[in-house]
Amino acid sequence: MGDSDIEGAGGGGDDGFRSPIGRKYRPVLANDRAVLEMSSMDPGSSSSASSSAFPDQPTNLRKINVGKSGNGSSDAKDGDSPHQSQPNGPQQESKLELFGFDSLVNILGLKSMTGEQPAQPSSPRDGEDITITAGLPKPDTLKLGTMMGVFIPCVQSILGIIYYIRFSWIVGMAGIGETLILVALCGTCTFLTSISLSAIATNGAMKGGGPYYLIGRALGPEVGVSIGLCFFLGNAVAGALYVLGAVETFLKAVPAAGIFRETITQVNGTKIAQPIESPSSHDLQIYGIVVTIMLCFIVFGGVKMINRVAPAFLIPVLFSLICIYLGVLLAKKDHPTEGITGLSFETLKENWSSDYQKTNDAGIPEPDGSVTWNFNSLVGLFFPAVTGIMAGSNRSSSLRDTQRSIPVGTLSATLSTSFMYLISVILFGAVATRDKLLTDRLLTATIAWPLPSLIKIGIILSTMGAALQSLTGAPRLLAAIANDDILPILNYFKVADGSEPHIATLFTALLCIGCVVIGNLDLITPTVTMFFLLCYSGVNLSCFLLDLLDAPSWRPRWKFHHWSLSLLGALLCIVIMFLISWSFTVVSLALASLIYKYVSIKGKAGDWGDGFKSAYFQLALRSLRSLGANQVHPKNWYPIPLVFCRPWGKLPENVPCHPKLADFANCMKKKGRGLTIFVSILDGDYHECAEDAKTACKQLSTYIEYKNCEGVAEIVVAPNMSEGFRGIVQTMGLGNLKPNIVVMRYPEIWRRENLTDIPATFVGIINDCIVANKAVVIVKGLDEWPNVYQKQYGTIDLYWIVRDGGLMLLLSQLLLTKESFESCKIQVFCIAEEDADAEGLKADVKKFLYDLRMQAEVFVITMKWDVQVDSGSPQDESLDAFTSANQRIVDYLTQMKATAEREGTPLMADGKPVIVNEKQVEKFLYTTLKLNSIILRYSRMAAVVLVSLPPPPLSHPAYFYMEYMDLLLENVPRILIVRGYRRDVVTLFT
């Protein structure tokens, strides 16, 4: 290529960079016109657009000459279109044309990988294809940063009602020492959960749904939906908790606003014996419903409205905190309020130890109170004060950069609030007496400087802000679960991308109002705690599993994590749940388990590449390595059937396998355990039939699932059936998980088909199994094989002729484990020579079966195997079949000899020379005739007959072998022909 072959657009300008040989190149930018033009093209279509496709393209652009084409034509001229449609398809003028247009790592490819295209389904359903962009969030016009999107929502959710009107009470009840332990325990739990959350959230793009999205993609849709719905309920109930806190504070600040008469409780057993007023529960209910409705109108306004209102709620919170700390520092011993001592070391020592007391339902100490408090119950009361770390991840679809904002914002909010709680424990414990801590529910307002009313306003706004965050996150969580289309019952809550979940918001508001009607904070908080802890344990377990498996896709940007920390966080969550209440723990786990079971039964199937699939893969690899390639011990032997679905003849349309083959395959597995491989062969060229093979494989897999048969489907493209099966029998399976039994249908229709095709193929398959050392089970009478609902009576008769390692015996035992054959009995027929010791053989076989723990009746049949047929014997009904088979063999042999003499070649059959011993052929016919007569004599009413498979004679044509087999199976309606392989599948030893 000459120096003038590549030139920059316009020729002038210094915005490019120069190559080593002096030519100037202009870098391609994302907003480049060519990129914008190309990004609107369909990558899968031909890129051969004429010049009309680029109406604004400068005419002075020169193209890249690519040399002469394959037919020897000269280079295209400058005036030609850069892409020409050739007779052989679109030809792209590029040095990298060999790799194809879509293979180039260009800006178009990068744009497609970052999700700048139509949204794809988040999980493959109903046969949809999986793409690399599946599950990526759709860009939204409203994007939030770390401060407004994560930090402020988390702080608003954490700094709720518990801190303002319950925290000082907890310090008075548990003492400073145990409260520090309490805060450290709960703070450590949320801190470890934040680390796990940061690791998972930075492992890829996130859609809406927050923790549900993370848990579902890590632990599977069933676990994700069950924990996600519980977390939704926890958020809805938490909203009611915050609303009640705001209303209670308002009614105490403005007592005249109460509609009903306030409850007055006389405090006994304390130094401060004075009436304590608490609002009426009916006032809490009425005002709570009104506040919930007001907050719902704000939520209905959307994210923009929430973001405008949130700072108005948060600024008074920060101001109230400053006022509280100033009030603590300025409080003196001569404070006008009784019980406020100011910061005093003596007060700190007095309040260091715990003093658990009985209280009434409102938390006011009473000697005969109905509520008994201890450390465990305080954990349940306080833990909602540290929840809210998921508030930022709940808005993942609205964040500008989830992989930066979620870790930074969540951990900052967790650490700052935990530090504030620890400092507040010491300050509250040193500023007031224990009686004041236990009786003054608004101690924060009492000690605040300059005016308590300002603090009450701050408390009201802070709790309303936390309630707003709950009512904002819960509907989005429910809508995210519904949008994944796992549960059809949730379809009412689906929303389009970028739309507000109005129906989910209304449903959340109704739940919140229902909890408000309860009107008791201390009864609501344990319920909230359990749901939140269940979600946190799910996040920790997700990170633990992903980190422990360390799959190639596990590449989180947040590096400060370890599987041991996640495991510790999960265990800590479970310990806290049982510390709070084992009964609530059992109820919450039972609820999650019920949802899990419901999703498993009613939910739609989905594959999100969760960690459990990776764990199964790792377990399978480890198990495969531990099995090794050595021979499996008979005690550990499992049948691994290779079911050959290719029928001899045609099946109904859209039926990829004989319906009874799957039923028979299930009969070869005990209680459904074991692997079955269903294979079929597609004739043709692989490059031409690859897509047809994928479609056929998907159809076969669906059919196997429909037949409730555990197995996998494989479709092999080959020029013909013989070559395809030869490849399958050599390569199918891994290590000791290779199939050990080939199952196929007997070609009963071979006479109606091409005589030179089916016999040769059938015999070739048997010979391939013998060479590959595979056992063979051939089913004759497959159309009459019973399904699971058809009960069979009678016997299962085994004609044990050849030593097969016990395979025939084992198959009979497996048949007895199925409902269809459980009423049958086993009979074993041993065929012996006339001069054999029949009684000794019978005793040996009985002893052998006894040692194998198999119950069967044994018969020994002795007969003379001479070549003669006695007229009038019980085998007369088979004489016609014998005569016909003999005559067909004679005719076939005569035709072969005539052809060989005419062409001057050796005797040929099936494309290879054969040597036929006519006396041996006659002997084989008589042998099969006598065996058939014995089977008809003793097993005419048997439910199923099993007989040893005779190997095909090497020098006989396949046509002869088919005649032998037909004569052996004549008039037997249902029979299994079994050939073992050179391994024992049963053992006498324990």
Side-chain angles (χ1 to χ4, degrees):
M1 185 181 296
D3 291 348
S4 61
D5 287 339
I6 304 179
E7 295 180 1
D14 297 328
D15 55 344
F17 62 90
R18 295 189 178 274
S19 67
I21 59 176
R23 286 175 299 175
K24 184 186 298 182
Y25 294 90
R26 183 171 58 86
V28 180
L29 303 177
N31 58 356
D32 190 275
R33 173 179 293 276
V35 172
L36 297 178
E37 294 286 353
M38 293 171 67
S39 61
S40 62
M41 297 170 58
D42 182 7
S45 64
S46 170
S47 58
S48 59
S50 62
S51 58
S52 60
F54 303 96
D56 300 329
Q57 182 175 350
T59 57
N60 60 345
L61 287 177
R62 297 188 62 186
K63 65 182 182 64
I64 302 175
N65 295 328
V66 297
K68 296 183 178 180
S69 60
N71 57 6
S73 61
S74 60
D75 294 347
K77 297 181 181 180
D78 294 349
D80 296 337
S81 174
H83 303 289
Q84 298 288 343
S85 297
Q86 301 295 337
N88 295 330
Q91 301 293 328
Q92 301 168 21
E93 301 187 5
S94 170
K95 284 293 186 182
L96 297 177
E97 184 177 354
L98 173 64
F99 297 95
F101 177 75
D102 290 335
S103 300
L104 300 180
V105 181
N106 52 23
I107 294 180
L108 286 182
L110 296 178
K111 281 180 175 292
S112 66
M113 293 179 68
T114 55
E116 296 185 18
Q117 60 179 19
Q120 299 289 337
S122 60
S123 58
R125 307 191 182 284
D126 304 328
E128 296 177 359
D129 294 330
I130 306 174
T131 64
I132 60 172
T133 57
L136 294 182
K138 183 178 180 180
D140 197 359
T141 54
L142 179 62
K143 294 297 181 182
L144 305 176
T146 303
M147 180 62 69
M148 292 299 301
V150 180
F151 182 79
I152 289 179
C154 287
V155 170
Q156 274 192 317
S157 298
I158 294 173
L159 291 179
I161 185 63
I162 301 297
Y163 177 77
Y164 287 103
I165 67 175
R166 291 292 185 269
F167 194 54
S168 59
W169 182 90
I170 292 175
V171 174
M173 187 70 70
I176 298 175
E178 291 192 14
T179 306
L180 288 174
I181 297 175
L182 172 64
V183 174
L185 179 69
C186 298
T188 302
C189 177
T190 55
F191 177 72
L192 294 176
T193 304
S194 299
I195 292 178
S196 300
L197 174 67
S198 302
I200 305 178
T202 57
N203 192 48
M206 285 180 58
K207 291 180 65 178
Y212 154 74
Y213 184 85
L214 301 178
I215 296 173
R217 269 59 180 180
L219 301 181
E222 294 85 0
V223 178
V225 171
S226 58
I227 295 181
L229 288 178
C230 290
F231 188 59
F232 161 75
L233 292 175
N235 274 279
V237 175
L241 172 70
Y242 300 135
V243 167
L244 286 175
V247 172
E248 181 177 344
T249 306
F250 170 73
L251 291 176
K252 286 193 173 184
V254 187
I259 301 175
F260 297 89
R261 188 175 58 183
E262 295 174 331
T263 303
I264 300 177
T265 303
Q266 183 70 28
V267 179
N268 297 318
T270 62
K271 296 179 181 179
I272 305 175
Q274 60 183 8
I276 303 296
E277 298 180 352
S278 60
S280 171
S281 60
H282 299 297
D283 287 337
L284 292 175
Q285 295 167 351
I286 294 175
Y287 280 100
I289 293 174
V290 173
V291 172
T292 304
I293 295 174
M294 291 173 53
L295 293 176
C296 283
F297 279 111
I298 298 176
V299 176
F300 272 110
V303 177
K304 292 183 179 179
M305 177 68 71
I306 296 170
N307 290 335
R308 292 172 181 172
V309 175
F313 287 128
L314 183 62
I315 293 175
V317 172
L318 299 178
F319 182 73
S320 65
L321 290 176
I322 296 174
C323 292
I324 291 173
Y325 292 136
L326 288 177
V328 170
L329 295 175
L330 297 178
K332 302 296 183 182
K333 290 184 179 181
D334 56 351
H335 195 280
T337 304
E338 187 177 358
I340 303 298
T341 63
L343 290 178
S344 169
F345 185 72
E346 295 296 329
T347 306
L348 187 144
K349 288 195 300 182
E350 292 177 0
N351 293 333
W352 182 264
S353 60
S354 61
D355 184 17
Y356 295 107
Q357 303 179 28
K358 290 185 176 181
T359 67
N360 59 14
D361 291 338
I364 299 174
E366 286 184 356
D368 299 327
S370 59
V371 182
T372 302
W373 294 93
N374 52 31
F375 181 82
N376 295 351
S377 55
L378 289 183
V379 173
L381 178 62
F382 173 73
F383 194 83
V386 296
T387 60
I389 59 175
M390 300 294 180
S393 61
N394 286 340
R395 297 182 170 194
S396 55
S397 59
S398 301
L399 296 177
R400 185 181 303 111
D401 185 1
T402 58
Q403 300 189 32
R404 180 183 180 274
S405 297
I406 289 180
V408 174
T410 305
L411 286 170
S412 299
T414 303
L415 292 175
S416 59
T417 52
S418 297
F419 178 76
M420 185 199 69
Y421 281 134
L422 292 173
I423 294 298
S424 298
V425 171
I426 299 176
L427 294 179
F428 289 160
V431 80
T433 61
R434 188 181 301 274
D435 292 336
K436 187 65 175 178
L437 293 173
L438 291 175
T439 56
D440 192 349
R441 302 293 290 272
L442 284 176
L443 179 67
T444 52
T446 302
I447 64 175
W449 183 88
L451 295 175
S453 58
L454 296 178
I455 304 306
K456 294 178 181 180
I457 296 175
I459 295 174
I460 295 172
L461 292 179
S462 68
T463 50
M464 291 182 64
L468 179 65
Q469 297 300 331
S470 296
L471 293 177
T472 302
R476 282 158 176 76
L477 177 61
L478 183 61
I481 300 175
N483 284 344
D484 276 336
D485 201 19
I486 299 293
L487 283 179
I489 196 174
L490 300 179
N491 289 342
Y492 300 103
F493 305 110
K494 285 184 176 180
V495 293
D497 290 341
S499 301
E500 293 295 328
H502 295 306
I503 298 180
T505 302
L506 182 61
F507 180 71
T508 306
L510 293 177
L511 284 179
C512 185
I513 290 174
C515 294
V516 166
V517 171
I518 299 176
N520 193 327
L521 290 177
D522 297 334
L523 294 179
I524 294 177
T525 48
T527 308
V528 177
T529 303
M530 291 302 169
F531 290 145
F532 277 87
L533 281 169
L534 193 62
C535 177
Y536 294 168
S537 61
V539 172
N540 283 301
L541 287 176
S542 301
C543 186
F544 165 72
L545 181 63
L546 295 173
D547 210 355
L548 190 64
L549 295 174
D550 200 16
S553 61
W554 177 244
R555 302 184 303 276
R557 294 182 182 274
W558 182 258
K559 303 300 181 182
F560 304 99
H561 65 92
H562 192 264
W563 63 265
S564 59
L565 295 178
S566 301
L567 180 60
L568 178 62
L571 294 176
L572 197 57
C573 290
I574 297 174
V575 168
I576 292 176
M577 290 177 70
F578 280 98
L579 278 179
I580 296 171
S581 172
W582 67 268
S583 57
F584 273 100
T585 302
V586 171
V587 170
S588 60
L589 291 177
L591 177 61
S593 301
L594 289 176
I595 299 175
Y596 178 90
K597 189 65 176 178
Y598 180 77
V599 175
S600 301
I601 297 174
K602 298 292 185 179
K604 295 184 180 180
D607 184 7
W608 292 342
D610 53 83
F612 280 139
K613 299 293 176 61
S614 180
Y616 297 153
F617 181 76
Q618 295 286 349
L619 182 61
L621 289 181
R622 182 168 298 180
S623 301
L624 189 61
R625 288 195 300 267
S626 63
L627 285 175
N630 299 325
Q631 178 177 340
V632 178
H633 194 278
K635 288 191 297 183
N636 301 325
W637 188 87
Y638 280 84
I640 305 179
L642 178 70
V643 180
F644 190 31
C645 299
R646 176 77 175 258
W648 308 107
K650 294 183 179 180
L651 287 173
E653 189 176 359
N654 296 328
V655 180
C657 177
H658 194 289
K660 295 300 181 69
L661 266 179
D663 295 331
F664 176 72
N666 276 330
C667 291
M668 300 183 67
K669 296 184 291 186
K670 186 176 182 180
K671 297 181 180 179
R673 298 190 184 101
L675 173 67
T676 303
I677 303 176
F678 292 82
V679 298
S680 188
I681 298 172
L682 193 63
D683 293 339
D685 181 76
Y686 175 71
H687 297 283
E688 297 177 356
C689 302
E691 292 301 323
D692 294 337
K694 292 180 182 179
T695 304
C697 186
K698 187 179 296 185
Q699 185 182 22
L700 182 57
S701 298
T702 304
Y703 189 76
I704 294 170
E705 185 177 356
Y706 164 73
K707 295 294 289 184
N708 293 323
C709 185
E710 292 186 0
V712 295
E714 294 290 344
I715 302 294
V716 176
V717 180
N720 54 64
M721 188 188 299
S722 298
E723 292 189 17
F725 184 82
R726 192 166 294 123
I728 289 172
V729 80
Q730 293 181 77
T731 60
M732 191 65 66
L734 293 172
N736 273 323
L737 291 184
K738 286 187 176 182
N740 46 34
I741 302 178
V742 175
V743 179
M744 60 181 171
R745 181 187 184 188
Y746 182 76
E748 303 173 49
I749 62 170
W750 71 279
R751 294 190 189 282
R752 300 197 300 268
E753 301 292 336
N754 189 349
L755 297 181
T756 60
D757 182 16
I758 292 183
T761 303
F762 180 71
V763 172
I765 289 175
I766 295 177
N767 286 327
D768 291 340
C769 293
I770 294 174
V771 173
N773 195 26
K774 305 289 185 185
V776 181
V777 176
I778 301 173
V779 189
K780 191 249 182 182
L782 190 61
D783 293 334
E784 288 78 29
W785 191 265
N787 58 34
V788 67
Y789 304 107
Q790 295 174 330
K791 201 141 183 98
Q792 301 297 303
Y793 300 93
T795 60
I796 299 175
D797 292 351
L798 281 65
Y799 286 84
W800 199 11
I801 303 172
V802 180
R803 183 182 181 278
D804 59 356
L807 178 60
M808 192 183 298
L809 294 171
L810 186 61
L811 287 178
S812 65
Q813 295 296 317
L814 293 175
L815 288 176
L816 286 182
T817 62
K818 302 301 175 183
E819 294 183 5
S820 302
F821 295 96
E822 63 182 1
S823 300
C824 298
K825 297 181 179 180
I826 298 178
Q827 296 183 153
V828 178
F829 294 88
C830 299
I831 311 298
E833 295 287 347
E834 190 175 27
D835 55 352
D837 183 6
E839 292 300 325
L841 178 60
K842 183 175 182 179
D844 291 342
V845 174
K846 279 189 173 182
K847 179 64 167 59
F848 180 69
L849 294 177
Y850 176 80
D851 291 338
L852 288 176
R853 293 89 62 203
M854 295 182 181
Q855 295 182 354
E857 190 172 358
V858 180
F859 300 91
V860 177
I861 301 175
T862 59
M863 59 188 307
K864 188 176 181 180
W865 296 94
D866 55 347
V867 184
Q868 78 178 58
V869 180
D870 298 330
S871 59
S873 64
Q875 61 191 14
D876 284 344
E877 57 186 299
S878 301
L879 286 178
D880 292 339
F882 169 78
T883 304
S884 300
N886 192 19
Q887 184 61 44
R888 286 191 296 269
I889 287 178
V890 171
D891 295 342
Y892 188 81
L893 184 58
T894 302
Q895 183 181 0
M896 288 172 53
K897 291 180 178 179
T899 303
E901 291 177 359
R902 184 173 61 253
E903 297 179 356
T905 59
L907 201 62
M908 301 285 291
D910 307 324
K912 60 183 179 180
V914 296
I915 301 174
V916 178
N917 187 333
E918 295 183 13
K919 290 185 178 181
Q920 191 179 36
V921 172
E922 187 179 10
K923 182 180 180 180
F924 287 163
L925 285 173
Y926 277 116
T927 301
T928 53
L929 172 65
K930 289 191 175 184
L931 284 176
N932 177 260
S933 300
I934 293 172
I935 293 173
L936 292 178
R937 181 185 305 170
Y938 296 102
S939 305
R940 187 180 297 274
M941 302 303 294
V944 63
V945 177
L946 287 79
V947 66
S948 298
L949 172 69
L954 297 178
S955 59
H956 290 208
Y959 179 84
F960 288 10
Y961 183 75
M962 295 301 298
E963 291 290 353
Y964 306 152
M965 293 296 297
D966 271 4
L967 186 57
L968 176 63
L969 308 177
E970 184 70 24
N971 295 323
V972 183
R974 190 186 299 158
I975 187 169
L976 304 180
I977 313 106
V978 181
R979 181 194 179 275
Y981 63 133
R982 295 184 296 273
R983 293 179 182 176
D984 291 334
V985 298
V986 293
T987 179
L988 305 176
F989 303 101
T990 183

